[in-house]
Amino acid sequence: MEADTLRQLCGGVELAADAVDAATGAIARAHQAIARQVYAPFGYLGPLAAPARIIEQIQMTITIQVYRSIQLTSRLVARGAVTLLQCKAKGD
Amino acid sequence: MSDQPAASDCATPWTTWARSIVNGAVGDYLQARQNGLEIDMALYVRNRPLPLTSAALLEAHPRPTPRLCVFLHGLGCNEGSWAYRDPSNPGRWTSYGAELAADLGFTPLFARYNTGLALARNGQSLADLLNALLAAYPLPVSDLVLIGHSMGGLVIRHACYIGAQRHDPWVPLVRQAFYLGSPHDGAPLALLSDIATRVLHAVPNPITRLIGDIFDLRSQGIKDLRSPPFIEKDGHHAAPRQTVPWLTSAQHYLVVATLTEDPKHLVAILLGDGLVLVPSIPETPPDGTALYPMPREHVACFSPMDHLQLTRDPAVYARIRAWCAGYERSV
């Protein structure tokens, strides 16, 4: 494999991982904003406000962890793919 | 290797197109991240960068001539956008460069660059590239003709301005500059996407904000197409904003197109060639500070034709050839 081809392939993999990272982050922010809108009215309903806040916190934590795991998996896959490409190039 | 440049010199495979499109969309990001997909500005022959050494230039062009024409593609494109089927021999591919070589003895050179970068930055790279080309070229250069499609025309304007400021040796050699569908007044689609982004961000809704964020990821090169090319200093527009002046020592030629056969049709007025509108050129040739400092006979409008067709149409080539030949006669 030519050095330039390898550089481009690695660049493509890194760009794909960056895109997943950015898209996941943006969707996570939109998801949280929408969830906050749903829970907001409960803040005005006296006895329901406190349990609603707890449920909101739990949901937000789970949501953030799901998105972070997607980002982490994507990064790991990208790093693995780049390493494989580099090994293959060395083998060639 | 044949003596005449072949159209295959500028033909490119789909992978190159994919890379060029990515560079056009997010090229500034690629550069900031030092991503391997980023394209460095260079002259390309047969899908490979041409090292600027006498030996490499002689290998690519075994019979070089003192007359050079340099081609610059538009946003998200590469040198492959100049290749088209020869209408007189459909089995053969050709390009304006190959035809100018055969008809008028030019040596054609095709540049490829990261169209996602700021126009001024690409202008500086082009000025540097032309300096290096002139230093390495195996013959003394007598004429330099610059031909830019769309964004490429604006990069040429920036390069000429930067080169003139620095007194680069290639600047006095530029006899003619051709701008094919270049948005000297700004491209309405780029302006529209800018307005859409602002509106989407202004709406207090997470989904519209998300879409606005995605719109905002577009490259600086695309954002620069919103307005006329402005002078930049240290990466920022000079205050007050000044449009990049035209090179006074060269002849400038505009080639524009309209989607409809009648250039005065409402669709032609509103959409131009689909991406760039037809500019209104003043009746009398004005001085160098005017928005369009060229006489009307230096402007050609082709109808019906779309934006991309401007790089690969025999009628457009015939006009460019006539202008080049006419200039030769005049001097």
Side-chain angles (χ1 to χ4, degrees):
Chain A
M1 191 187 298
E2 284 185 34
D4 198 43
T5 309
L6 174 68
R7 199 169 61 88
Q8 288 178 37
L9 284 173
C10 291
V13 170
E14 283 161 9
L15 183 65
D18 286 354
V20 171
D21 215 50
T24 313
I27 292 167
R29 282 192 297 279
H31 191 151
Q32 287 169 339
I34 292 166
R36 268 195 293 275
Q37 283 177 357
V38 173
Y39 285 106
F42 290 98
Y44 301 104
L45 299 174
L48 289 178
R53 208 174 303 123
I54 293 166
I55 295 168
E56 183 185 357
Q57 284 301 321
I58 294 167
Q59 194 204 332
M60 288 293 187
T61 307
I62 293 169
T63 305
I64 290 166
Q65 294 313 318
V66 168
Y67 285 116
R68 279 191 186 156
S69 66
I70 293 170
Q71 288 172 330
L72 185 68
T73 309
S74 149
R75 285 268 148 230
L76 286 172
V77 169
R79 193 162 292 177
V82 167
T83 309
L84 270 177
L85 283 168
Q86 285 167 342
C87 289
K88 188 179 179 326
K90 274 182 194 161
D92 290 347
Chain B
M1 190 178 294
S2 70
D3 287 357
Q4 284 294 335
S8 58
D9 284 0
C10 66
T12 48
W14 71 269
T15 45
T16 302
W17 277 99
R19 189 179 172 202
S20 299
I21 290 167
V22 170
N23 271 261
V26 290
D28 50 349
Y29 177 81
L30 295 180
Q31 197 199 39
R33 299 275 295 179
Q34 296 185 313
N35 188 292
L37 286 174
E38 198 222 342
I39 297 169
D40 289 325
M41 184 180 277
L43 299 172
Y44 274 72
V45 176
R46 287 168 224 108
N47 202 30
R48 286 185 175 277
L50 175 62
L52 288 179
T53 61
S54 293
L57 286 163
L58 272 172
E59 193 188 337
H61 298 280
R63 289 173 70 180
T65 64
R67 313 179 71 200
L68 303 181
C69 59
V70 176
F71 290 83
L72 265 95
H73 57 76
L75 174 70
C77 293
N78 55 58
E79 69 278 13
S81 62
W82 299 103
Y84 63 99
R85 278 189 193 281
D86 184 353
S88 58
N89 181 4
R92 171 181 167 262
W93 286 79
T94 188
S95 68
Y96 296 170
E99 297 294 317
L100 280 173
D103 293 347
L104 299 174
F106 279 95
T107 299
L109 297 158
F110 297 91
R112 189 193 293 177
Y113 62 103
N114 178 352
T115 54
L117 297 183
L119 288 175
R121 181 146 194 176
N122 274 325
Q124 175 137 17
S125 299
L126 177 61
D128 294 342
L129 182 84
L130 293 174
N131 271 334
L133 171 65
L134 217 64
Y137 200 68
L139 295 178
V141 176
S142 63
D143 288 47
L144 184 56
V145 168
L146 303 174
I147 303 180
H149 174 236
S150 194
M151 176 188 272
L154 304 183
V155 173
I156 287 173
R157 273 183 70 182
H158 272 283
C160 288
Y161 168 70
I162 292 164
Q165 293 285 104
R166 301 191 309 201
H167 304 289
D168 285 354
W170 59 267
V171 175
L173 302 174
V174 179
R175 309 277 185 244
Q176 294 171 294
F178 296 89
Y179 309 92
L180 317 185
S182 292
H184 296 283
D185 298 331
L189 208 60
L191 187 62
L192 196 68
S193 65
D194 195 49
I195 294 167
T197 308
R198 284 164 197 260
V199 170
L200 287 165
H201 275 144
V203 175
N205 181 295
I207 302 293
T208 54
R209 188 169 286 273
L210 172 64
I211 299 168
D213 286 346
I214 293 166
F215 261 61
D216 214 23
L217 289 175
R218 69 199 189 285
S219 67
Q220 188 58 44
I222 297 176
K223 288 175 182 167
D224 279 357
L225 295 176
R226 290 171 293 196
S227 54
F230 289 119
I231 294 173
E232 279 191 17
K233 280 179 186 146
D234 305 323
H236 300 285
H237 289 143
R241 279 186 168 192
Q242 293 173 286
T243 48
V244 174
W246 301 75
L247 184 65
T248 49
S249 58
Q251 301 273 0
H252 300 275
Y253 302 83
L254 289 189
V255 179
V256 295
T258 60
L259 290 173
T260 57
E261 195 154 3
D262 176 10
K264 290 183 176 139
H265 192 280
L266 186 64
V267 173
I269 292 167
L270 291 176
L271 297 176
D273 62 15
L275 290 175
V276 175
L277 301 184
V278 176
S280 54
I281 309 294
E283 282 290 344
T284 50
D287 59 19
T289 57
L291 190 56
Y292 290 102
M294 68 278 292
R296 282 211 158 180
E297 55 268 26
H298 285 193
V299 181
C301 182
F302 292 87
S303 308
M305 191 178 287
D306 64 51
H307 188 69
L308 293 176
Q309 188 66 20
L310 282 167
T311 58
R312 51 182 72 161
D313 193 278
V316 175
Y317 169 69
R319 182 58 63 91
I320 291 171
R321 183 189 182 285
W323 275 329
C324 287
Y327 181 83
E328 274 175 43
R329 281 195 298 274
S330 71
V331 294

